[in-house]
Amino acid sequence: MSLSIGIHDLSFATGEYVLEHTTLAAHNGTDIGKYHVGIGQESMSVPAADEDIVTMAASAAAPIIARHGGDRIRTVVFATESSIDQSKAAGVYVHSLLGLPSACRVVELKQACYGATAALQFAIGLVRRDPAQQVLVIASDVSKYELDSPGESTQGAAAVAMLVGVDPALVRIEDPSGLFTADVMDFWRPNYRAAALVDGQESINAYLQAAEGTWKDYTEQGGRSLEEFAAFCYHQPFTKMATKAHRHLLNYCGKDTDNDAVAAAIGLTTAYNRVIGNSYTASVYLGLAALLDQAEDLTGRSIAFLSYGSGSVAEFFAGTLVAGYRDHLRTEQNHTAIARRTPVSYAEYRELHEYSLPTEGGDHATPAQTTGPFRLAGISGHKRIYETR
Ligand code: COA
């Protein structure tokens, strides 16, 4: 019998602050309907000056280590497209903050918003080779576009940590995967830029082409039929994208594309992304968390995942909810992570957006802002200094 491997635990964290789209709309004169309905976003997380992908990642993963210990974790894979260093993996800082064993490999993985899915699939391969080990997969990103650009309304920040192992308590990941890669310039961030560049319409089209391509390959690999899925977790740079993607897929498969069919398939997956904003590679797994926290019992049901990363690489795969999964959810913790954020004014958001760490190599303390468990205390001699609060 083949091993059952998948997501044993899932925990997420987000930034200290939140910018309401009503605040952004009041600043730039946009009709709020464009944000609330047109792109399907209500607010977006904004990290404090002493938060980054490392502090969010450690905050997301700490409850997992508290529940399961770290003794079986022999690999940490940190997926991000908002990396803080060209050489050192951000996961090494997290490994240290969490006190994980030294007998552990830690690497960073990048392919836009697809990175965490690559990490999950690689983790499954490692566990299959050595079922005694667990892999800590972390997706952590800060989505940042230029002020006053069309992308500004689709920013956000979050980290998702997943413990991957045999006999998972939440979701068993199934073998067939539909894959798709195409060389497109829909979204990218050259090394010399802090904010991403995006061609919004190109990105939507590239995403839809990728959805089609992965589905075609998924069916050729012997995957399930569309009707077998209880829900679809799509990558959500803005939640309306999930609606567009599902409608496109239904249409491609010759199915009815009425609003009820789309809402039934994706409705529950958008709740967290709608208020957190774009969390890049974490977003598809925030979709999973939102679904599991709100849905009726889905034991034995299959969930579809469509992970898309601009540039572009995409993967369609499935997971099945295992018996008893509801006893292992972190619903209250997840609601607290969202509710604890402090709203910021437009001026406060703008100041945070423009804040950057000095680059001349001196000693600099960061403003003490976060109330989370970890903080970036400063930078000294080009070295980041983290602390547990
Ligand atoms: N009420 C309701 N809907 C409204 C509206 C209003 N008052 N005004 C506009 N809309 C709708 C538009 O019809 C459009 O809907 P549609 O796409 O279904 O046609 C939607 O709101 C967006 O309007 P648009 O004019 O296209 O907005 P924009 O030029 O500001 O761009 C994005 C929106 C999402 C393309 C842009 O924010 C972006 O590029 N974000 C980055 C996306 C990304 O990260 N991609 C890479 C990863 S996949």
Side-chain angles (χ1 to χ4, degrees), residues 170-171 228-233 264-265 268-269 287-304 319-326 329:
L170 297 178
V171 187
E228 289 179 72
F229 294 112
F232 290 73
C233 292
L268 297 179
T269 71
L288 172 64
L291 172 70
L292 300 189
D293 284 348
Q294 298 176 92
E296 298 293 302
D297 190 358
L298 292 171
T299 300
R301 301 296 309 277
S302 292
I303 309 295
T320 300
L321 276 306
V322 304
Y325 81 90
R326 296 178 101 191
L329 297 177

Side-chain angles (χ1 to χ4, degrees), residues 31 33-34 37-39 145 150-151 153-154 187 198 200 203 235 237-238 240 244 278 308 310:
D31 181 331
K34 172 171 172 180
V37 181
I39 60 170
Y145 296 91
S153 57
T154 57
F187 167 104
V198 64
S203 180
H235 166 53
F238 47 99
K240 181 76 170 291
K244 288 177 188 284
N278 193 0
Y308 172 78
S310 292

Side-chain angles (χ1 to χ4, degrees), residues 30-40 81 112-113 143 145 149-155 186-188 196-204 207 235-238 240-241 244 247 278 280 308-310:
T30 298
D31 181 331
I32 194 61
K34 172 171 172 180
Y35 293 154
H36 286 175
V37 181
I39 60 170
E81 59 175 306
C113 305
S143 163
Y145 296 91
S149 72
E152 186 179 21
S153 57
T154 57
Q155 299 175 107
D186 58 329
F187 167 104
W188 68 108
L197 296 162
V198 64
D199 179 338
Q201 208 47 54
E202 172 77 8
S203 180
I204 292 169
Y207 184 130
H235 166 53
Q236 297 168 27
F238 47 99
K240 181 76 170 291
M241 191 62 227
K244 288 177 188 284
R247 191 169 284 141
N278 193 0
Y280 288 160
Y308 172 78
S310 292

